[in-house]
Amino acid sequence: MFVVVPALYLFALFLYLFIAPFIAALRALALVSELVWRYFRLLNGVLRLRTPEFVTIPPYRPTEELAHRNYFYGPATRDLRQLLTQGRRLYARTVADAFRAVSAAQFSAPTTHRAVSVPYGLTLCAGLGAGAALGAPLLALLLGLHALGVAVLAAGARLTALALRTADRTVMVLRGLPRGILCRSCYERVPYPQYDCPRTSCRRRHVDIRPGTFGLFRRRCACTERIPTLLMLMSRDARLSGFCVHENCGRPLNPDAGHMPELVLPLIGGRAAGKTQLMAAMVKAMQNAAENGGPAVRLADQESSDTQQLLNEILEIQGHTRPTGKALPQGHSLVRGTGRGERLIHIFDTAGERFVNREETDALRYVRAAGTFVLVLDPMAVDAFWTRLDPTGPHVDRTLASTVDPEDVFSRSVQSIRTMGTRLDKARLAVAVSKKDLLTGRPALLPDRPDDSDTIRDWLCEQLGVRNLVKTMELEFGEVRFFCTAAVADEAGRVDPSVPVLMEWCLSE
Ligand SMILES: Nc1nc2c(ncn2[C@@H]2O[C@H](COP(=O)(O)OP(=O)(O)OP(=O)(O)O)[C@@H](O)[C@H]2O)c(=O)[nH]1
Ligand SMILES: [Mg+2]
Ligand SMILES: [Zn+2]
Ligand SMILES: [Zn+2]
């Protein structure tokens, strides 16, 4: 009896040795699948649920950061680190729990006889050992694949950002804005506007919205509002109004700025030469042309549109413009054309007195962006007009005459333009001999053919005696063209035909 039982037990044990590997393998498999299953639950928790128990590293706080980060600029690697620490913890805990369960059920408090539970427990332990040994590299592999995926996508995100920026940059260059947009308040170039969040309750200012850390196609403001990251991506009816990036400025740019080529048209001339009225007439001429099937025109901002409305009323009642204030001029901005032909035109009408005081010509900084200039020349401002042309003739109303010598204005302007580094030999100059209408019926006071540039030039040289001025103009500028203009409109609102001719030449860059 004492021999039979151990012998039987040993025999049973011997037989058991054949099934033990299967049991161990099953236990190992169970442990591995549990590990994998838990790893995927962890993945879901870290990447999707983001509930506190899955967050070991604090997230980037958008309230401190202005905008939410793009996933592949930070959060992805943070999640990866989170997975690594939590994955390690998960592995240790799962394996330890499994061993603890086996030792409790089979060794310390077995429900069956130890003769059964100990070999069975040892088998399970062997299985767990194998499972743990298999599970570790498997989890490492999963994590490695994840890291690889993140790396590839992060590189892809950076490439996408780069491609988008390059595309936008190219478009800007094609629009003739390689150095950026002109700020019509401080006259500096804005390489890329900054934007306010469009949500009225937020208004956070985003300095650089271009693709990168905070979004590829759109960035999500800390308030969750979405903002397109490029001028290129702003649809026509959802154009945000940008702001100047220069210190001490920060004023709004036109909503159309950056979306189309720009043209800067400075008006130069002494006090009361007729700049403001000529500007009004030019814009009115564009508006009239648009009504008659010409290129569409709209004023680009509220201020320009208010000013133009006022000026149009003055033109319609044949009234007189008031002297322009000395405040630094803001461009009178309008958009002409449609679709790809659209152009943003800034006409700068500076107070005449700024052209006489040398210290104040810094107001002319906007000319750096100009390729065409308009010199408004009031013939009545030249002494010879009164002494040589008009000594005997009938009376001409002197109250509307400018009293500033055009030669003086021109030389000072040219000087300051040159100090600002503008190449005048590449620029064009339109000389608008103004107030033609005041002299109609006085052929002696006008060129024979007031619509012909050469005739006007000769008249200026021979009759008005400003040969020196004409010569200097032709020396300084690449191209000079002469016009005789009357910045007036008739009762029907039609502008004198001399104005559209001047306007078309100025805009035909
Ligand atoms: N009849 C007539 N009057 C003109 C014409 N151009 C200007 N004027 C008048 O001349 C005066 C001066 O014209 P503005 O256009 O205000 O002159 P400005 O060059 O802007 O002058 P500042 O703003 O002081 O530098 C105003 O009374 C105008 O109404 C014109 O072509 N025909
Ligand atoms: Mg004026
Ligand atoms: Zn500015
Ligand atoms: Zn916001």
Side-chain angles (χ1 to χ4, degrees), residues 197 199 202-204 206 221-223 225:
C197 170
R199 185 174 288 185
C202 172
R203 293 282 179 226
R204 281 182 181 82
H206 296 257
C221 176
C223 75
E225 183 78 20

Side-chain angles (χ1 to χ4, degrees), residues 139-154:
L139 289 197
L141 181 72
L142 286 176
L143 210 64
L145 285 176
H146 186 112
L148 187 71
V150 166
V152 168
L153 289 174

Side-chain angles (χ1 to χ4, degrees), residues 183-188 190 244-246 249-251 253:
C183 169
R184 66 205 174 93
S185 306
C186 71
Y187 316 135
E188 296 294 337
V190 178
C244 178
V245 291
H246 290 285
C249 181
R251 271 169 286 190
L253 305 167

Side-chain angles (χ1 to χ4, degrees), residues 335-457:
V335 176
R336 190 167 193 240
T338 40
R340 283 173 173 278
E342 272 187 333
R343 273 205 286 175
L344 180 60
I345 302 168
H346 300 288
I347 307 180
F348 282 95
D349 171 30
T350 308
E353 56 194 300
R354 279 207 174 261
F355 292 105
V356 210
N357 300 337
R358 176 146 311 154
E359 321 68 79
E360 288 178 2
T361 42
D362 68 319
L364 285 174
R365 285 194 314 270
Y366 51 78
V367 303
R368 283 177 299 191
T372 304
F373 295 76
V374 180
L375 175 73
V376 183
L377 195 159
D378 181 354
M380 294 184 282
V382 181
D383 286 340
F385 180 86
W386 304 101
T387 52
R388 284 165 67 177
L389 293 175
D390 193 32
T392 50
H395 179 69
V396 172
D397 184 5
R398 235 182 144 140
T399 50
L400 288 181
S402 167
T403 52
V404 190
D405 182 14
E407 218 154 323
D408 208 27
V409 171
F410 182 74
S411 62
R412 276 166 205 264
S413 307
V414 164
Q415 246 170 34
S416 24
I417 294 170
R418 213 178 301 107
T419 47
M420 277 171 271
T422 310
R423 290 277 304 269
L424 285 185
D425 55 337
K426 293 234 165 78
R428 307 188 305 160
L429 177 70
V431 180
V433 179
S434 60
K435 305 178 191 173
K436 178 180 78 172
D437 57 301
L438 291 180
L439 310 170
T440 38
R442 307 285 309 280
L445 301 182
L446 281 172
D448 302 334
R449 290 176 50 205
D451 48 1
D452 179 61
S453 177
D454 290 336
T455 320
I456 302 169
R457 181 189 177 281

Side-chain angles (χ1 to χ4, degrees), residues 275-305:
K275 299 179 295 297
T276 304
Q277 191 147 337
L278 184 62
M279 173 179 88
M282 280 165 84
V283 177
K284 179 128 184 73
M286 287 188 224
Q287 289 173 331
N288 289 352
E291 279 165 24
N292 296 318
V297 159
R298 69 189 153 86
L299 285 134
D301 53 81
Q302 195 54 46
E303 209 179 314
S304 303
S305 135

Side-chain angles (χ1 to χ4, degrees), residues 449-469:
R449 290 176 50 205
D451 48 1
D452 179 61
S453 177
D454 290 336
T455 320
I456 302 169
R457 181 189 177 281
D458 292 342
W459 178 80
L460 285 173
C461 291
E462 310 301 335
Q463 308 294 313
L464 205 60
V466 289
R467 179 181 291 277
N468 279 341
L469 177 60

